Amino acid sequence: MAEIRFWEAIRRAHDEEMANDPLVIAMGEDIGVAGGTYKATQGLYDKYGPERIIDTPISENGYTGLGIGASFLGVRPIIEIMSVNFAWLALDQIANSAVKVRYMSGGQLTAPVVIRSPGGTAHQLGAQHSARMEKVFMGIAGLRVVTPSNPRQAYGMLKSAVRCNDPVFIYEHELMYNMKGEVPDAEFFHPLVGSEVAREGKDVTLFGYNISVHWCLEAAKLLADKHGINCEVVDLYCLSPLDRAGIKKSVSKTHRAVIVEEAEPAVGVGAEVMAIINEECFFELDAAPKRVSAVNIPIPYNHALEKATIPHAKDVVKAVRAMMGK
Amino acid sequence: MNNTDKKRLLRDMLFSRRFEEHCYVGYVERKIGGFLHLYPGQEACAHGVMAAAKPGFDYVITGYRDHVHAMLSGADPKAVMAELYGKETGTCKGRGGSMHIFDVEHRFMGGYALVGGPFPLAAGMAKAIKLKGGEEIAICFLGDAANNQGSFHEALNMASVWKLPVLYVCENNLYGIGTRIDRSTAVLDQYKRVAGYNIPSEQVDGQDIEIVYKAAQKAVDHVRSGKGPYFLELMTYRYRGHSMSDSNTYRSKDEEKEWIERDPINILRERLIKAKVLTMAEFKAMDKEILDEIDNQIVPFAEQSPEPDVAELEKYLFAENDPWVTGGAQGGAS
């Protein structure tokens, strides 16, 4: 078991899948000669050549559609959209072509593409490079949406996504590529459905995903150390379909829930998890569930303003203490 | 193309005309729902190009005016009609409808209803062909108005940069929905626009199938020989409105008359009669045979076929029992 960085885990998954199947290709802006903005394909251009590691023009809808078209004939493209903000431009091909062909062809055609893209607020990137678009992708029927919170998941999910016959969107985070974590040396495939208990607890469940899992874990430690509150942290690594059974199981155990999301609250992960709690285990609740979300504004440039826009572990601590009356 | 081929093409075009005319009737009778975009007037375009291509071998993709292109690729007309009737025996089991005919077995990769959507999809199919080393080509049929979408420019640029084996056929019928081309488009000759992407192109009369066939042969040869993409513009006209919900009040009667005088079926028919390859009586017998097939085989099949089962509403959303969704055959998460 080696400790490697998040980007190295993604790179390893690319390399193994490309070595395994000559029809696996990767495409995106600057992923080839330049080695990838976040190094996810570093060195692979030299290894697999320009026909399989494709530097695309800055044409997000165009190259996403091109990857989708290639997948109709059995090619397995891993499409990197450099920043999720640019995925707005590719939504036509994702939402109208990739996810609908199987259904509207009566099961004849499928688009087994993987689209990877980092979102989130990083370091003062401003409103047009700080989008959190998970809620958009979660709303698209026929699209699998997963979001790794650590290198192990990033490696194993990409491996499964490449082989899966459905279109898969992998939502990554700009701030997490240098994060270190243990990844098994032996090849493995991570599920594209379900959730994971990242910390066992009994008093309240903190639901997080992607970067907010780390805020939840930090808050859980503070709450245990300073306030005697024992939080369970559930990592919702699969955002669509959300793990109804996993959500129900944890809330039925702790009877309280706080959902932590980097995105704005409206129509988001928190809203959806709350709806699932209502539908699955309303009478298990000892308190009304809470959301800890971003302020509903475009992300400002100024550092202090940016910081005040998105949630942090201290906001989670505050919400849990209010809920527990401690 | 010998006389037998020409007679076959005439019959095939007439079949498409009559098929589409029945669709009109089925729509008025409310047996066909949704939006319906008909092909009469443009027959020489798809028929001429597909005569020069390899139907069922080459990959074909198009927009929402797709019935004829699907059948020319090899789709069974009964299954196409059943799809329009929303039946389980339809090409897409009633899930697609008029604008979304698919027949993947015959490499008809679908009708798409976002104008311009197929441009990059076709380039992608061509990329796959190139990667796999096949002799196939991808053929994308779209209208002139699609060229005003960003996807046109993005896809043609990539197809050219990567020398992809894709033939773009532009059926220029002079209208984008109800807006005439000179009111929406700065450059009227569409074949000139691709010069900006260094793609060879040609504009020809889309009403004379022999001209279309000849130009398509050149285009197909270019693409199949590995020289990269090609753009073929065919000047044509649709007799009906954009779709059935179109009032068709934006065109003059004189203009319509002018184009109907250059009807693709009449042009070929008159030529064959003049060359004494065909008689009017033979043509009428041919027409009767086609109408008989439509009325007594194709339409009854569609009408009598079962509706889809509502219990299968969610089928086809995802691949069934895909082992990789749950972590794969190799043991799952560690």
Side-chain angles (χ1 to χ4, degrees):
Chain A
M1 184 95 74
E3 190 172 74
I4 60 174
R5 291 186 193 275
F6 205 97
W7 68 264
E8 290 172 313
I10 297 170
R11 187 199 169 282
R12 180 182 151 193
H14 272 94
D15 193 10
E16 287 178 7
E17 289 307 299
M18 291 187 73
N20 174 65
D21 179 355
L23 291 181
V24 176
I25 62 172
M27 49 195 294
E29 293 154 7
D30 273 8
I31 71 157
V33 173
T37 308
Y38 301 100
K39 298 190 275 194
T41 48
Q42 194 180 62
L44 300 183
Y45 180 85
D46 291 337
K47 191 166 175 182
Y48 297 105
E51 289 293 326
R52 294 183 64 199
I53 296 283
I54 304 163
D55 281 314
T56 65
I58 301 176
S59 306
E60 285 82 9
N61 201 44
Y63 68 70
T64 301
L66 192 146
I68 292 164
S71 80
F72 291 170
L73 272 64
V75 171
R76 301 266 165 172
I78 306 171
I79 302 166
E80 177 178 288
I81 298 179
M82 186 190 276
S83 159
V84 84
N85 300 263
F86 315 155
W88 285 110
L89 293 164
L91 273 179
D92 167 41
Q93 289 295 344
I94 297 170
N96 282 312
S97 301
V99 306
K100 287 180 183 160
V101 288
R102 173 181 284 278
Y103 195 86
M104 66 186 186
S105 71
Q108 293 179 70
L109 193 59
T110 192
V113 287
V114 182
I115 302 167
R116 303 174 34 249
S117 189
T121 46
H123 298 293
Q124 293 185 268
L125 302 182
Q128 293 187 338
H129 278 71
S130 305
R132 295 125 299 155
M133 277 179 67
E134 56 274 30
K135 62 173 74 175
V136 175
F137 297 109
M138 285 168 67
I140 300 173
L143 184 65
R144 297 190 176 281
V145 184
V146 293
T147 184
S149 66
N150 57 54
R152 174 179 55 83
Q153 289 179 352
Y155 163 81
M157 283 178 187
L158 178 53
K159 299 266 296 176
S160 298
V162 168
R163 300 195 186 197
C164 172
N165 285 314
D166 300 319
V168 180
F169 194 95
I170 305 182
Y171 189 81
E172 297 166 4
H173 200 288
E174 303 210 10
L175 285 182
M176 289 166 67
Y177 287 109
N178 282 322
M179 170 186 288
K180 281 186 172 175
E182 289 192 337
V183 179
D185 297 328
E187 180 180 49
F188 81 97
F189 296 84
H190 195 285
L192 301 173
V193 290
S195 62
E196 186 178 305
V197 176
R199 176 189 169 114
E200 297 263 5
K202 62 177 180 53
D203 296 331
V204 53
T205 303
L206 307 180
F207 289 102
Y209 60 95
N210 190 273
I211 201 167
S212 75
V213 170
H214 301 281
W215 305 338
C216 291
L217 288 168
E218 191 186 335
K221 189 169 184 305
L222 283 167
L223 286 160
D225 292 350
K226 294 189 177 167
H227 305 285
I229 300 170
N230 187 356
C231 296
E232 176 145 304
V233 176
V234 173
D235 179 348
L236 298 171
Y237 61 74
C238 175
L239 294 179
S240 185
L242 276 167
D243 182 18
R244 299 181 82 92
I247 292 167
K248 181 183 179 183
K249 189 178 171 195
S250 184
V251 174
S252 299
K253 175 181 167 188
T254 63
H255 310 290
R256 290 178 185 84
V258 175
I259 305 101
V260 185
E261 56 192 346
E262 191 190 3
E264 313 88 332
V267 207
V269 177
E272 196 58 37
V273 171
M274 280 176 153
I276 289 171
I277 293 169
N278 273 347
E279 289 161 359
E280 298 285 341
C281 51
F282 179 78
F283 294 105
E284 292 284 349
L285 290 170
D286 285 346
K290 275 180 188 281
R291 286 182 288 190
V292 178
S293 318
V295 179
N296 196 21
I297 55 172
I299 297 292
Y301 164 71
N302 172 276
H303 177 62
L305 296 180
E306 180 188 64
K307 204 175 158 193
T309 308
I310 59 161
H312 304 277
K314 65 174 173 43
D315 302 306
V316 182
V317 169
K318 201 171 146 192
V320 171
R321 288 182 64 197
M323 181 179 278
M324 302 295 291
K326 288 188 179 179
Chain B
M1 208 165 26
N2 61 32
N3 288 333
T4 312
D5 292 333
K6 289 177 191 173
K7 269 169 95 168
R8 184 180 48 75
L9 283 179
L10 179 68
R11 190 190 192 284
D12 290 352
M13 283 200 290
L14 187 60
F15 179 88
S16 295
R17 174 73 55 90
R18 297 301 188 211
F19 184 95
E20 294 288 84
E21 284 171 352
H22 176 79
C23 294
Y24 177 87
V25 173
Y27 188 86
V28 172
E29 289 175 349
R30 297 186 168 232
K31 288 174 179 165
I32 297 173
F35 289 123
L36 182 69
H37 307 78
L38 299 175
Y39 202 57
Q42 300 185 202
E43 289 89 349
C45 300
H47 283 268
V49 172
M50 290 307 286
K54 294 182 180 174
F57 179 72
D58 293 329
Y59 292 90
V60 174
I61 192 165
T62 187
Y64 38 77
R65 202 179 306 281
D66 60 350
H67 313 162
V68 170
H69 302 78
M71 291 188 288
L72 284 171
S73 297
D76 179 352
K78 289 205 290 286
V80 175
M81 190 62 80
E83 185 62 29
L84 304 181
Y85 279 60
K87 299 298 181 72
E88 182 68 19
T89 55
T91 50
C92 307
K93 302 180 193 300
R95 271 69 166 181
S98 167
M99 299 190 286
H100 308 302
I101 306 289
F102 288 75
D103 186 342
V104 174
E105 190 195 331
H106 293 102
R107 300 189 170 176
F108 180 69
M109 307 304 275
Y112 296 77
L114 273 288
V115 175
F119 285 123
L121 299 173
M125 296 194 300
K127 169 65 192 175
I129 291 165
K130 199 175 178 199
L131 205 60
K132 291 164 127 181
E135 293 292 311
E136 305 94 331
I137 64 170
I139 306 175
C140 176
F141 290 90
L142 285 173
D144 49 292
N147 302 347
N148 290 333
Q149 288 279 20
S151 59
F152 168 81
H153 302 275
E154 295 187 7
L156 270 76
N157 178 53
M158 289 187 289
S160 183
V161 170
W162 298 327
K163 286 215 173 313
L164 301 179
V166 54
L167 169 59
Y168 288 105
V169 179
C170 174
E171 300 186 35
N172 186 347
N173 65 19
L174 308 175
Y175 287 84
I177 317 179
T179 301
R180 204 174 58 226
I181 188 166
D182 60 300
R183 299 181 59 234
S184 65
T185 308
V187 176
L188 301 186
D189 291 324
Q190 298 305 295
Y191 77 100
K192 290 179 181 169
R193 299 177 79 180
V194 301
Y197 302 110
N198 202 19
I199 293 176
S201 63
E202 189 179 12
Q203 180 191 62
V204 298
D205 177 7
Q207 300 306 90
D208 186 333
I209 194 165
E210 294 190 59
I211 293 174
V212 173
Y213 174 74
K214 207 175 152 198
Q217 270 190 318
K218 185 180 156 196
V220 166
D221 285 350
H222 174 94
V223 176
R224 209 183 298 284
S225 67
K227 291 178 188 151
Y230 193 94
F231 184 91
L232 179 61
E233 179 182 13
L234 307 172
M235 301 309 293
T236 188
Y237 201 74
R238 58 169 153 76
Y239 294 164
R240 296 200 177 277
H242 165 75
S243 76
M244 291 293 289
S245 53
D246 179 344
S247 60
N248 202 11
T249 53
Y250 45 81
R251 308 192 296 196
S252 72
K253 293 292 161 214
D254 286 348
E255 181 184 289
E256 289 185 6
K257 193 165 162 277
E258 201 179 300
W259 279 93
I260 288 171
E261 281 169 7
R262 298 208 64 249
D263 180 79
I265 294 171
N266 288 354
I267 288 174
L268 184 59
R269 184 191 67 197
E270 293 311 311
R271 191 175 293 150
L272 294 182
I273 288 173
K274 205 174 166 191
K276 301 196 186 310
V277 174
L278 181 82
T279 65
M280 199 60 189
E282 273 182 289
F283 179 80
K284 283 183 175 165
M286 188 190 271
D287 194 15
K288 191 173 172 297
E289 200 179 272
I290 288 168
L291 288 170
D292 181 65
E293 186 189 350
I294 292 171
D295 292 343
N296 297 316
Q297 293 180 48
I298 295 171
V299 174
F301 175 81
E303 286 187 339
Q304 289 157 24
S305 285
E307 296 277 337
D309 184 353
V310 177
E312 293 190 336
L313 185 61
E314 292 180 76
K315 200 176 172 182
Y316 311 124
L317 180 63
F318 288 124
E320 280 177 40
N321 304 317
D322 189 320
W324 304 106
V325 170
T326 47
Q330 301 187 23
S334 77

